[in-house]
Amino acid sequence: MEIIGEKINTTRKAVEAAVRQRDAAFIQDLARRQAEAGAAFLDVNSGLPLDPEEEAADFEWLVPLIQEAADIPLCLDTAHPKVIEAGLRRHKGRAMINSVNGDPAVLESILPLAGRHHCKVIALTTSREKKIPAGSAERLEIAKAIARRAQDHGVPLEDIYFDPLVLSLATDQKNALVFLETLKAIKQELPGARTVSGLSNISFGLPRRKLLNQAFLVLAGFAGMDAAIADPTDKALMAMVTASEALANKDAYCAGYLRAFREGRLDM
Amino acid sequence: MDTLTKIAQFVEKGQIQEAKEATQKALDVEKIPPMEILNKGLIVGLAAVGEAFSCQKAFVPELMTAGMAMKESLELLRPSFEASDSPPMGTVVIGTVEGDVHDVGKNIVAMMLQGAGFKVHDLGIDIPAAKFVEAVKQHQPEILALSALYTPTRLAMAETLKAMESNGLRTKVKVIIGGAPIDQNFCNLIKADGYAPDAPQAVQMCKKWLA
């Protein structure tokens, strides 16, 4: 499972302060630690500015800075095409865009960029018209519509990471199951497409959140989830990824599990 | 134990059916005035769960079932309220801002505000600024409550406040905001009147504003 490191996000107070004060050392340390812990991508979010120009300036500073410390692709987490473009201008390798959804205006403003720059794209199975559908069938319909538009813009299915949308278990006890059903339906109906999710929404409003997040990760991994937006420096979580991949027959001769053991990554 | 204390406990524990039965009994058999059932029974129960919630002894599912017990019991009192025409605590217009389709948190806040005695006009989700302006003109609430769950859509909160300003309504309502990507910092930035991290604190803030 690919881990998209979630820590460079200005909704976290320390990161917000570091971005405003242009504290390069703080950001590079966050980047380095996440990459060393096994992140495949690093999410970059500077969402607080009310002005896309300011957010674009943040991205122009952040993207090369982060890639200097961590030689992995970034996941540009913003709603504005202008900000994505600013980030892409400075980005080395193939970036990921976080995110589009089923809203035609969003698709038409971001997919052409993704096609032109050969980006991977996270696609939420929601739309303004359909809201957040309660059931998996409607979420699958949105995923199919996004896949069609993406193909028209030269973004192949293999580069789309569908997010089936996990809502808090606390507000509806069916939410994890609906998520897993949607994920399996996407894998089956759109072969080749990838799937992704954040891990922490599921546990919102409940105690001992890390326990639920880990159990959710195992279930989602078993259902075929390809990537997770998570904290790769959380050792217990990463050990759970390693263990569950071995159990799901994704780790030949348990080589990955044993390597992790020898490197001390399973010690907690 | 007297019926009002029982009602409070049933609400606190989210026992919907039991809360309704006790409320009906208090109303029909014991002839307790509906305002007293509300203030000394239902509200006491909801306040207790709210307090437990703020010190992490109760959790969101319990808040929701307590809210449902409150709301359904309140329905039983409504006919007698309308007859006696007692004024509500205040009026709130609430909605999720444009571009955002999340409503679970917003619904809990709306439900708890209703439970606390406010008249609540819930506009729903994905509400453009112009719709909020229209609703504030129509219902003349003391409070406007805005919700957002996406980081990008919280910018629509700023738009909504600007629209209030340009329509001369900004000084007429207190604006409370909330949702996962919202914090006090963001509240200061867009100059809303208050931020509440959860539903019980939102209710407390609204009550304080109208006290």
Side-chain angles (χ1 to χ4, degrees), chain B residues 46-58:
Chain B
L46 199 68
V49 75
E51 207 168 296
F53 179 82
S54 44
C55 53
Q56 276 123 52
K57 285 186 178 140

Side-chain angles (χ1 to χ4, degrees), chain A residues 36-258:
Chain A
E36 280 168 9
F41 298 87
L42 295 180
D43 193 76
V44 184
N45 179 313
S46 96
L48 194 68
L50 295 179
D51 168 24
E53 301 291 334
E54 192 185 339
E55 197 183 345
D58 288 344
F59 269 58
E60 282 181 13
W61 177 70
L62 283 164
V63 167
L65 185 76
I66 294 168
Q67 287 198 309
E68 193 184 288
D71 193 18
I72 53 176
L74 305 185
C75 179
L76 308 174
D77 187 356
T78 170
H80 299 289
K82 250 188 192 169
V83 180
I84 297 172
E85 271 190 299
L88 287 174
R89 271 199 297 276
R90 311 296 303 270
H91 189 274
K92 286 185 296 186
R94 293 181 60 194
M96 186 183 270
I97 295 171
N98 184 11
S99 59
V100 299
N101 58 49
D103 187 1
V106 171
L107 291 173
E108 294 316 312
S109 65
I110 293 179
L111 286 177
L113 263 176
R116 225 168 29 246
H117 292 268
H118 208 46
C119 295
K120 301 179 180 191
V121 181
I122 293 179
L124 311 179
T125 56
T126 93
S127 73
R128 285 184 75 169
E129 188 198 354
K130 297 250 174 79
K131 317 298 180 194
I132 301 178
S136 60
E138 284 166 292
R139 295 188 193 182
L140 176 64
E141 281 317 305
I142 297 176
K144 284 181 173 171
I146 295 172
R148 281 193 294 274
R149 296 306 302 135
Q151 257 146 25
D152 294 343
H153 288 289
V155 181
L157 219 41
E158 291 71 26
D159 287 341
I160 308 177
Y161 287 67
F162 287 104
D163 182 340
L165 284 179
V166 57
L167 299 172
S168 159
L169 193 62
T171 55
D172 186 335
Q173 67 270 16
K174 290 189 302 296
N175 276 340
L177 273 188
V178 170
F179 171 91
L180 294 168
E181 269 170 29
T182 311
L183 191 137
K184 283 190 230 169
I186 290 170
K187 297 296 283 183
Q188 193 170 0
E189 299 281 321
L190 294 168
R194 317 276 167 153
T195 46
V196 64
S197 169
L199 298 182
S200 54
N201 277 1
I202 192 69
S203 60
F204 184 81
L206 291 167
R208 301 278 183 275
R209 294 187 64 177
K210 283 192 170 182
L211 177 64
L212 281 168
N213 297 349
Q214 287 178 10
F216 176 71
L217 171 85
V218 174
L219 289 171
F222 200 70
M225 189 164 81
D226 300 282
I229 302 172
D231 175 7
T233 66
D234 179 342
K235 229 177 153 183
L237 182 82
M238 294 304 275
M240 198 59 87
V241 171
T242 306
S244 62
E245 300 222 303
L247 289 166
N249 188 23
K250 287 177 182 169
D251 182 10
Y253 304 103
C254 302
Y257 185 79
L258 294 172

Side-chain angles (χ1 to χ4, degrees), chain A residues 47-48 50 79 128 132 171 205 207, chain B residues 59-60 98 101 104 126 152 154-155:
Chain A
L48 194 68
L50 295 179
R128 285 184 75 169
I132 301 178
T171 55
Chain B
F59 300 92
V60 169
E98 183 166 24
V101 294
V104 175
D126 193 9
R154 62 188 178 162
L155 299 185

Side-chain angles (χ1 to χ4, degrees), chain B residues 3-171:
Chain B
T3 307
L4 290 179
T5 312
K6 272 190 197 156
I7 291 174
Q9 288 194 357
F10 288 141
V11 169
E12 184 184 353
K13 295 195 173 124
Q15 293 173 274
I16 300 171
Q17 203 48 44
E18 289 83 348
K20 282 170 70 179
E21 281 165 16
T23 303
Q24 199 70 63
K25 186 179 157 216
L27 203 59
D28 295 347
V29 182
E30 301 182 16
K31 310 279 183 208
I32 301 173
M35 211 56 200
E36 204 174 320
I37 300 177
L38 177 66
N39 286 327
K40 295 188 177 160
L42 298 172
I43 286 183
V44 173
L46 199 68
V49 75
E51 207 168 296
F53 179 82
S54 44
C55 53
Q56 276 123 52
K57 285 186 178 140
F59 300 92
V60 169
E62 292 158 333
L63 208 54
M64 286 180 72
T65 47
M68 283 186 248
M70 171 93 197
K71 196 175 165 188
E72 293 198 17
S73 305
L74 199 57
E75 284 305 314
L76 301 173
L77 300 182
R78 204 175 295 281
S80 14
F81 275 144
E82 272 158 18
S84 69
D85 205 30
S86 60
M89 183 144 215
T91 304
V92 181
V93 164
I94 189 170
T96 303
V97 294
E98 183 166 24
D100 205 317
V101 294
H102 292 86
D103 64 357
V104 175
K106 185 261 299 163
N107 290 348
I108 297 175
V109 173
M111 191 163 73
M112 290 197 68
L113 282 171
Q114 270 172 344
F118 286 87
K119 188 164 189 197
V120 176
H121 297 278
D122 185 348
L123 306 185
I125 55 181
D126 193 9
I127 304 299
K131 272 251 174 81
F132 279 113
V133 168
E134 207 177 287
V136 167
K137 280 183 183 161
Q138 188 192 338
H139 302 297
Q140 306 191 334
E142 290 87 358
I143 295 168
L144 173 65
L146 305 176
S147 167
L149 197 93
Y150 283 144
T151 314
T153 51
R154 62 188 178 162
L155 299 185
M157 286 183 169
E159 293 303 317
T160 307
L161 287 178
K162 266 188 225 155
M164 290 295 148
E165 188 87 60
S166 60
N167 283 276
L169 298 170
R170 183 63 191 88
T171 51

